[in-house]
Amino acid sequence: MKTFTSLALCVLLAAVSVTAQLSMRELAEITEEFRVRFDELHDDKDDFVRLTRVLTRAELKGLNEATLVNLGNARNDIDDALADTREQIANAILEPNANEECLLGLVDRVIEEGRRAGEGMSACAADKINIKEGLGDEFRTLTNTLQRIATAASEYTLYTFAIHNSFTDPDDHVEWLEENYANQVDFWDNVARPEAQEDLDNLEINRPALVEENRVCLAAVVTALNTALNTIQGQINSC
């Protein structure tokens, strides 16, 4: 009797287990539901990645254009200063008592100062080019990572069939889908998107400062050139 009771209990528990276990039809319906949810999450991520790329290109383009304006203004100031000094030397050479050798020596110094100013401009530009390229690389890495995450989200439901035995344990399959969907949403909402948005905001906020740093750098180059040329101009009469 005791043995029969034990066997009956085992059969009853097995029946309850089978009854409680999801059917393949139910699993298919739940899996399809998660496929739609993962696809929507993928679309949301894709949209944000595209927006991130557009905004990044716009910010870098703005930085590039503003830097070019600074360089153009500095180039004009440098050209004007050099041209004025060369003109003064040329006029002095026409004077009857001019020391041509002395004045030609000043011309060489003007050429040297022009070369030094050009190197200074290049250094100012290189600094911003390095920053711009660094930002570009950083955002390309970020957006590529986000893109991989977005793509992975759209493939989760297929991936689950490869790592779960849905026939013997469909409940585990569904539990995995629920857990990973929740993890994806949490990571996207609380880690990936906020960090990407913060980087974009910082780029927008810092761009004016980067442009101003470039302008100040170039202004220092022009000031140094003018100081050197003033010294040269002061020596023209002595020639």
Side-chain angles (χ1 to χ4, degrees):
M1 182 67 178
K2 184 176 181 181
T3 301
F4 175 78
T5 302
S6 298
L7 288 173
L9 182 60
C10 289
V11 171
L12 177 61
L13 290 174
V16 170
S17 177
V18 170
T19 302
Q21 191 178 63
L22 289 171
S23 68
M24 287 298 99
R25 179 178 178 180
E26 290 172 322
L27 176 61
E29 291 174 351
I30 293 173
T31 302
E32 174 61 17
E33 177 187 336
F34 272 102
R35 184 195 66 77
V36 173
R37 293 168 69 183
F38 273 116
D39 279 350
E40 290 174 348
L41 186 59
H42 166 254
D43 291 340
D44 179 46
K45 292 177 179 180
D46 251 5
D47 290 342
F48 183 75
V49 169
R50 282 193 292 270
L51 176 63
T52 299
R53 285 176 171 151
V54 170
L55 293 177
T56 300
R57 283 195 294 268
E59 289 298 331
L60 294 178
K61 182 173 182 286
L63 176 60
N64 185 57
E65 290 175 346
T67 300
L68 288 175
V69 170
N70 287 344
L71 287 169
N73 292 336
R75 179 78 267 177
N76 290 336
D77 291 341
I78 289 171
D79 286 345
D80 289 344
L82 292 172
D84 180 60
T85 304
R86 285 195 298 266
E87 183 178 358
Q88 291 185 42
I89 294 174
N91 291 335
I93 289 177
L94 298 177
E95 294 294 329
N97 298 324
N99 184 335
E100 186 173 336
E101 183 178 354
C102 176
L103 291 169
L104 290 177
L106 294 181
V107 170
D108 290 338
R109 288 175 58 188
V110 170
I111 293 173
E112 176 62 21
E113 292 301 332
R115 183 191 62 77
R116 185 175 290 110
E119 290 176 349
M121 285 184 61
S122 296
C124 293
D127 179 46
K128 290 300 164 283
I129 289 172
N130 289 336
I131 291 174
K132 185 182 73 172
E133 290 181 347
L135 290 171
D137 290 341
E138 178 182 340
F139 274 93
R140 275 190 291 273
T141 300
L142 173 64
T143 53
N144 288 340
T145 300
L146 294 177
Q147 186 66 67
R148 286 195 295 272
I149 294 171
T151 302
S154 67
E155 299 172 350
Y156 262 124
T157 49
L158 289 176
Y159 175 66
T160 58
F161 284 99
I163 63 173
H164 289 90
N165 191 330
S166 304
F167 292 99
T168 60
D169 196 353
D171 294 305
D172 182 59
H173 189 156
V174 172
E175 182 180 342
W176 191 93
L177 283 171
E178 291 174 343
E179 180 180 343
N180 278 274
Y181 180 79
N183 288 340
Q184 279 279 313
V185 172
D186 179 67
F187 174 77
W188 184 251
D189 289 343
N190 298 316
V191 180
R193 186 196 292 270
E195 287 188 5
Q197 189 62 59
E198 182 180 4
D199 286 344
L200 285 172
D201 292 343
N202 287 337
L203 179 57
E204 181 179 4
I205 292 170
N206 291 331
R207 178 161 61 90
L210 294 173
V211 172
E212 178 61 14
E213 285 178 8
N214 176 249
R215 188 197 66 77
V216 170
C217 179
L218 292 167
V221 172
V222 173
T223 298
L225 174 66
N226 285 331
T227 299
L229 293 180
N230 286 337
T231 300
I232 293 172
Q233 291 170 10
Q235 295 173 349
I236 291 176
N237 290 334
S238 64
C239 292

